[in-house]
Short mmCIF file of all heavy atoms in Angstrom, two decimals:
data_model
loop_
_atom_site.label_atom_id
_atom_site.label_comp_id
_atom_site.label_asym_id
_atom_site.label_seq_id
_atom_site.Cartn_x
_atom_site.Cartn_y
_atom_site.Cartn_z
N LEU I 1249 0.83 -1.22 0.00
CA LEU I 1249 -0.02 0.00 0.00
C LEU I 1249 0.87 1.26 0.02
O LEU I 1249 0.52 2.27 -0.63
CB LEU I 1249 -0.92 -0.01 1.22
CG LEU I 1249 -2.11 -0.99 1.20
CD1 LEU I 1249 -2.86 -0.98 2.51
CD2 LEU I 1249 -3.04 -0.62 0.00
N GLU I 1250 1.98 1.18 0.69
CA GLU I 1250 2.81 2.38 0.86
C GLU I 1250 3.83 2.55 -0.29
O GLU I 1250 4.06 3.67 -0.77
CB GLU I 1250 3.54 2.30 2.20
CG GLU I 1250 4.29 3.58 2.53
CD GLU I 1250 4.85 3.63 3.92
OE1 GLU I 1250 4.49 2.68 4.70
OE2 GLU I 1250 5.57 4.54 4.26
N PHE I 1251 4.50 1.43 -0.68
CA PHE I 1251 5.57 1.53 -1.67
C PHE I 1251 5.28 0.78 -2.99
O PHE I 1251 6.03 0.94 -3.94
CB PHE I 1251 6.88 0.98 -1.06
CG PHE I 1251 7.27 1.69 0.21
CD1 PHE I 1251 7.17 1.08 1.42
CD2 PHE I 1251 7.82 2.96 0.12
CE1 PHE I 1251 7.54 1.73 2.60
CE2 PHE I 1251 8.26 3.62 1.29
CZ PHE I 1251 8.10 3.00 2.54
N GLY I 1252 4.27 -0.07 -3.00
CA GLY I 1252 3.98 -0.84 -4.20
C GLY I 1252 4.60 -2.23 -4.15
O GLY I 1252 5.60 -2.46 -3.43
N ASP I 1253 4.04 -3.16 -4.95
CA ASP I 1253 4.48 -4.58 -4.88
C ASP I 1253 5.84 -4.81 -5.60
O ASP I 1253 6.39 -5.90 -5.45
CB ASP I 1253 3.43 -5.50 -5.41
CG ASP I 1253 3.08 -5.20 -6.87
OD1 ASP I 1253 3.69 -4.31 -7.43
OD2 ASP I 1253 2.21 -5.90 -7.43
N THR I 1254 6.32 -3.84 -6.30
CA THR I 1254 7.61 -4.02 -7.00
C THR I 1254 8.74 -3.37 -6.25
O THR I 1254 9.92 -3.43 -6.68
CB THR I 1254 7.55 -3.42 -8.41
OG1 THR I 1254 7.28 -2.02 -8.30
CG2 THR I 1254 6.51 -4.14 -9.26
N SER I 1255 8.46 -2.77 -5.11
CA SER I 1255 9.47 -2.13 -4.31
C SER I 1255 10.45 -3.17 -3.72
O SER I 1255 10.09 -4.33 -3.54
CB SER I 1255 8.85 -1.28 -3.19
OG SER I 1255 8.16 -2.14 -2.25
N ASP I 1256 11.65 -2.71 -3.42
CA ASP I 1256 12.64 -3.61 -2.77
C ASP I 1256 12.10 -4.21 -1.46
O ASP I 1256 12.30 -5.35 -1.13
CB ASP I 1256 13.94 -2.88 -2.53
CG ASP I 1256 14.68 -2.53 -3.81
OD1 ASP I 1256 14.36 -3.20 -4.85
OD2 ASP I 1256 15.57 -1.68 -3.82
N GLU I 1257 11.41 -3.29 -0.71
CA GLU I 1257 10.86 -3.75 0.63
C GLU I 1257 9.85 -4.84 0.42
O GLU I 1257 9.89 -5.88 1.16
CB GLU I 1257 10.20 -2.56 1.33
CG GLU I 1257 11.15 -1.48 1.81
CD GLU I 1257 11.47 -0.47 0.73
OE1 GLU I 1257 11.06 -0.70 -0.46
OE2 GLU I 1257 12.10 0.56 1.02
N ALA I 1258 9.01 -4.71 -0.59
CA ALA I 1258 7.97 -5.70 -0.86
C ALA I 1258 8.62 -7.01 -1.34
O ALA I 1258 8.22 -8.12 -0.91
CB ALA I 1258 6.99 -5.21 -1.88
N GLN I 1259 9.61 -6.93 -2.21
CA GLN I 1259 10.27 -8.14 -2.77
C GLN I 1259 11.03 -8.89 -1.65
O GLN I 1259 11.08 -10.12 -1.71
CB GLN I 1259 11.20 -7.70 -3.90
CG GLN I 1259 10.48 -7.25 -5.18
CD GLN I 1259 9.47 -8.22 -5.68
OE1 GLN I 1259 9.80 -9.40 -5.93
NE2 GLN I 1259 8.20 -7.81 -5.81
N ASN I 1260 11.64 -8.14 -0.74
CA ASN I 1260 12.35 -8.78 0.36
C ASN I 1260 11.36 -9.61 1.22
O ASN I 1260 11.66 -10.69 1.67
CB ASN I 1260 13.06 -7.77 1.21
CG ASN I 1260 14.29 -7.18 0.53
OD1 ASN I 1260 14.88 -7.84 -0.30
ND2 ASN I 1260 14.71 -5.98 0.92
N LEU I 1261 10.19 -9.00 1.41
CA LEU I 1261 9.16 -9.70 2.23
C LEU I 1261 8.62 -10.93 1.49
O LEU I 1261 8.31 -11.93 2.10
CB LEU I 1261 8.03 -8.75 2.59
CG LEU I 1261 8.29 -7.82 3.76
CD1 LEU I 1261 7.17 -6.82 3.95
CD2 LEU I 1261 8.50 -8.63 5.06
N VAL I 1262 8.50 -10.81 0.17
CA VAL I 1262 8.02 -11.93 -0.62
C VAL I 1262 8.98 -13.15 -0.40
O VAL I 1262 8.52 -14.27 -0.29
CB VAL I 1262 7.94 -11.56 -2.12
CG1 VAL I 1262 7.79 -12.82 -2.97
CG2 VAL I 1262 6.79 -10.61 -2.39
N LYS I 1263 10.28 -12.83 -0.47
CA LYS I 1263 11.24 -13.91 -0.28
C LYS I 1263 11.13 -14.53 1.13
O LYS I 1263 11.19 -15.76 1.28
CB LYS I 1263 12.69 -13.40 -0.45
CG LYS I 1263 13.75 -14.50 -0.43
CD LYS I 1263 15.12 -13.95 -0.66
CE LYS I 1263 16.17 -15.10 -0.74
NZ LYS I 1263 16.09 -16.01 0.38
N LYS I 1264 11.00 -13.69 2.14
CA LYS I 1264 10.85 -14.21 3.53
C LYS I 1264 9.59 -15.04 3.64
O LYS I 1264 9.61 -16.12 4.26
CB LYS I 1264 10.76 -13.01 4.49
CG LYS I 1264 12.06 -12.33 4.73
CD LYS I 1264 11.94 -11.21 5.78
CE LYS I 1264 13.26 -10.48 6.02
NZ LYS I 1264 13.09 -9.40 7.03
N ILE I 1265 8.49 -14.54 3.07
CA ILE I 1265 7.20 -15.29 3.15
C ILE I 1265 7.32 -16.63 2.42
O ILE I 1265 6.86 -17.67 2.89
CB ILE I 1265 6.04 -14.43 2.55
CG1 ILE I 1265 5.78 -13.24 3.48
CG2 ILE I 1265 4.80 -15.25 2.39
CD1 ILE I 1265 4.81 -12.21 2.93
N THR I 1266 7.97 -16.59 1.23
CA THR I 1266 8.10 -17.85 0.44
C THR I 1266 8.96 -18.86 1.21
O THR I 1266 8.61 -20.02 1.28
CB THR I 1266 8.78 -17.50 -0.92
OG1 THR I 1266 7.93 -16.59 -1.61
CG2 THR I 1266 8.89 -18.77 -1.74
N ASP I 1267 10.08 -18.42 1.74
CA ASP I 1267 10.94 -19.35 2.49
C ASP I 1267 10.27 -19.90 3.68
O ASP I 1267 10.36 -21.09 3.97
CB ASP I 1267 12.23 -18.61 2.90
CG ASP I 1267 13.13 -18.25 1.72
OD1 ASP I 1267 12.92 -18.83 0.64
OD2 ASP I 1267 14.06 -17.45 1.85
N LEU I 1268 9.59 -19.01 4.46
CA LEU I 1268 8.93 -19.46 5.66
C LEU I 1268 7.77 -20.42 5.36
O LEU I 1268 7.59 -21.40 6.06
CB LEU I 1268 8.43 -18.25 6.47
CG LEU I 1268 7.75 -18.54 7.81
CD1 LEU I 1268 8.72 -19.30 8.71
CD2 LEU I 1268 7.30 -17.26 8.47
N SER I 1269 7.05 -20.14 4.30
CA SER I 1269 5.95 -21.02 3.90
C SER I 1269 6.45 -22.43 3.52
O SER I 1269 5.86 -23.43 3.89
CB SER I 1269 5.23 -20.43 2.67
OG SER I 1269 4.56 -19.22 3.01
N GLY I 1270 7.62 -22.50 2.88
CA GLY I 1270 8.20 -23.73 2.51
C GLY I 1270 8.61 -24.53 3.76
O GLY I 1270 8.31 -25.74 3.87
N GLU I 1271 9.24 -23.85 4.70
CA GLU I 1271 9.65 -24.49 5.99
C GLU I 1271 8.44 -24.99 6.75
O GLU I 1271 8.43 -26.10 7.32
CB GLU I 1271 10.48 -23.54 6.84
CG GLU I 1271 11.86 -23.17 6.24
CD GLU I 1271 12.56 -22.13 7.07
OE1 GLU I 1271 12.08 -21.84 8.21
OE2 GLU I 1271 13.59 -21.60 6.64
N LEU I 1272 7.39 -24.12 6.77
CA LEU I 1272 6.15 -24.51 7.48
C LEU I 1272 5.51 -25.76 6.87
O LEU I 1272 5.11 -26.64 7.59
CB LEU I 1272 5.19 -23.34 7.46
CG LEU I 1272 3.84 -23.56 8.15
CD1 LEU I 1272 4.02 -23.91 9.59
CD2 LEU I 1272 2.97 -22.29 8.00
N ASN I 1273 5.45 -25.81 5.58
CA ASN I 1273 4.83 -26.96 4.89
C ASN I 1273 5.67 -28.22 5.14
O ASN I 1273 5.07 -29.31 5.37
CB ASN I 1273 4.76 -26.71 3.38
CG ASN I 1273 3.68 -25.69 3.04
OD1 ASN I 1273 2.74 -25.52 3.76
ND2 ASN I 1273 3.85 -25.01 1.89
N ASP I 1274 7.00 -28.10 5.14
CA ASP I 1274 7.84 -29.25 5.42
C ASP I 1274 7.61 -29.74 6.87
O ASP I 1274 7.49 -31.00 7.09
CB ASP I 1274 9.32 -28.87 5.26
CG ASP I 1274 9.73 -28.71 3.82
OD1 ASP I 1274 8.94 -29.14 2.94
OD2 ASP I 1274 10.78 -28.10 3.55
N ASN I 1275 7.50 -28.86 7.80
CA ASN I 1275 7.28 -29.26 9.20
C ASN I 1275 5.89 -29.89 9.40
O ASN I 1275 5.74 -30.81 10.18
CB ASN I 1275 7.48 -28.03 10.13
CG ASN I 1275 8.92 -27.66 10.31
OD1 ASN I 1275 9.82 -28.51 10.18
ND2 ASN I 1275 9.20 -26.39 10.54
N LYS I 1276 4.90 -29.34 8.69
CA LYS I 1276 3.56 -29.88 8.79
C LYS I 1276 3.52 -31.33 8.20
O LYS I 1276 2.87 -32.21 8.73
CB LYS I 1276 2.53 -28.98 8.06
CG LYS I 1276 2.17 -27.76 8.79
CD LYS I 1276 1.12 -26.97 8.10
CE LYS I 1276 0.65 -25.77 8.88
NZ LYS I 1276 -0.40 -24.97 8.16
N THR I 1277 4.29 -31.55 7.15
CA THR I 1277 4.34 -32.87 6.54
C THR I 1277 5.02 -33.84 7.51
O THR I 1277 4.56 -34.99 7.70
CB THR I 1277 5.19 -32.82 5.23
OG1 THR I 1277 4.50 -31.99 4.29
CG2 THR I 1277 5.31 -34.24 4.64
N ARG I 1278 6.11 -33.44 8.14
CA ARG I 1278 6.76 -34.24 9.18
C ARG I 1278 5.81 -34.62 10.29
O ARG I 1278 5.77 -35.76 10.73
CB ARG I 1278 8.02 -33.52 9.74
CG ARG I 1278 9.17 -33.42 8.77
CD ARG I 1278 10.26 -32.54 9.38
NE ARG I 1278 10.71 -33.08 10.68
CZ ARG I 1278 11.29 -32.32 11.62
NH1 ARG I 1278 11.49 -31.03 11.38
NH2 ARG I 1278 11.72 -32.90 12.71
N LEU I 1279 5.08 -33.59 10.75
CA LEU I 1279 4.16 -33.85 11.88
C LEU I 1279 3.03 -34.78 11.44
O LEU I 1279 2.69 -35.72 12.20
CB LEU I 1279 3.56 -32.51 12.34
CG LEU I 1279 2.62 -32.57 13.55
CD1 LEU I 1279 3.42 -33.04 14.75
CD2 LEU I 1279 2.00 -31.20 13.82
N ASN I 1280 2.47 -34.60 10.21
CA ASN I 1280 1.40 -35.47 9.77
C ASN I 1280 1.87 -36.89 9.62
O ASN I 1280 1.14 -37.86 9.98
CB ASN I 1280 0.88 -34.95 8.43
CG ASN I 1280 0.07 -33.67 8.55
OD1 ASN I 1280 -0.45 -33.40 9.62
ND2 ASN I 1280 -0.01 -32.88 7.50
N ASN I 1281 3.11 -37.06 9.12
CA ASN I 1281 3.66 -38.41 8.97
C ASN I 1281 3.83 -39.10 10.34
O ASN I 1281 3.55 -40.29 10.49
CB ASN I 1281 5.01 -38.38 8.24
CG ASN I 1281 4.84 -38.02 6.77
OD1 ASN I 1281 3.75 -38.17 6.18
ND2 ASN I 1281 5.90 -37.57 6.13
N ALA I 1282 4.29 -38.34 11.31
CA ALA I 1282 4.50 -38.88 12.67
C ALA I 1282 3.16 -39.26 13.30
O ALA I 1282 3.02 -40.34 13.90
CB ALA I 1282 5.21 -37.88 13.52
N GLU I 1283 2.15 -38.42 13.11
CA GLU I 1283 0.85 -38.71 13.69
C GLU I 1283 0.19 -39.91 12.99
O GLU I 1283 -0.47 -40.71 13.68
CB GLU I 1283 -0.03 -37.45 13.57
CG GLU I 1283 0.38 -36.30 14.51
CD GLU I 1283 -0.44 -35.06 14.28
OE1 GLU I 1283 -1.04 -34.89 13.24
OE2 GLU I 1283 -0.45 -34.24 15.27
N LYS I 1284 0.41 -39.99 11.67
CA LYS I 1284 -0.16 -41.17 10.96
C LYS I 1284 0.50 -42.44 11.39
O LYS I 1284 -0.13 -43.49 11.61
CB LYS I 1284 0.03 -40.99 9.48
CG LYS I 1284 -0.61 -42.09 8.65
CD LYS I 1284 -0.39 -41.89 7.12
CE LYS I 1284 -1.08 -42.98 6.33
NZ LYS I 1284 -0.62 -44.35 6.70
N ALA I 1285 1.84 -42.41 11.61
CA ALA I 1285 2.55 -43.60 12.09
C ALA I 1285 2.08 -44.01 13.47
O ALA I 1285 1.89 -45.19 13.76
CB ALA I 1285 4.07 -43.34 12.11
N ALA I 1286 1.82 -43.05 14.33
CA ALA I 1286 1.32 -43.35 15.67
C ALA I 1286 -0.06 -43.92 15.61
O ALA I 1286 -0.40 -44.86 16.34
CB ALA I 1286 1.31 -42.05 16.49
N GLU I 1287 -0.91 -43.39 14.73
CA GLU I 1287 -2.29 -43.92 14.59
C GLU I 1287 -2.27 -45.34 14.01
O GLU I 1287 -3.00 -46.20 14.48
CB GLU I 1287 -3.10 -42.99 13.69
CG GLU I 1287 -4.51 -43.44 13.42
CD GLU I 1287 -5.36 -43.57 14.67
OE1 GLU I 1287 -5.05 -42.84 15.66
OE2 GLU I 1287 -6.31 -44.37 14.71
N ASP I 1288 -1.41 -45.55 13.02
CA ASP I 1288 -1.27 -46.90 12.40
C ASP I 1288 -0.81 -47.92 13.49
O ASP I 1288 -1.32 -49.06 13.52
CB ASP I 1288 -0.28 -46.91 11.25
CG ASP I 1288 -0.83 -46.17 10.08
OD1 ASP I 1288 -2.02 -45.89 9.99
OD2 ASP I 1288 -0.01 -45.85 9.15
N LEU I 1289 0.12 -47.48 14.32
CA LEU I 1289 0.61 -48.35 15.40
C LEU I 1289 -0.50 -48.67 16.40
O LEU I 1289 -0.65 -49.81 16.81
CB LEU I 1289 1.80 -47.72 16.12
CG LEU I 1289 2.34 -48.52 17.30
CD1 LEU I 1289 2.85 -49.88 16.88
CD2 LEU I 1289 3.50 -47.75 17.93
#
């Protein structure tokens, strides 16, 4: 809203959001696999 989506500030945040989203998805997958293994057991 303040600087536009092509600004350096916005692009830096895009990278942070993308990286963090990837880490979050990986951790959720690990957790789901662990919970499924526990349920199967």
Side-chain angles (χ1 to χ4, degrees):
L1249 288 173
E1250 186 172 355
F1251 301 106
D1253 60 1
T1254 60
S1255 64
D1256 290 343
E1257 292 85 352
Q1259 291 305 306
N1260 287 336
L1261 279 175
V1262 167
K1263 185 179 186 309
K1264 287 183 179 180
I1265 290 172
T1266 301
D1267 291 344
L1268 183 58
S1269 294
E1271 292 176 10
L1272 178 59
N1273 288 335
D1274 288 344
N1275 286 332
K1276 284 184 174 180
T1277 298
R1278 288 174 57 203
L1279 184 63
N1280 288 337
N1281 289 341
E1283 290 176 338
K1284 184 179 183 302
E1287 178 60 27
D1288 290 345
L1289 177 59

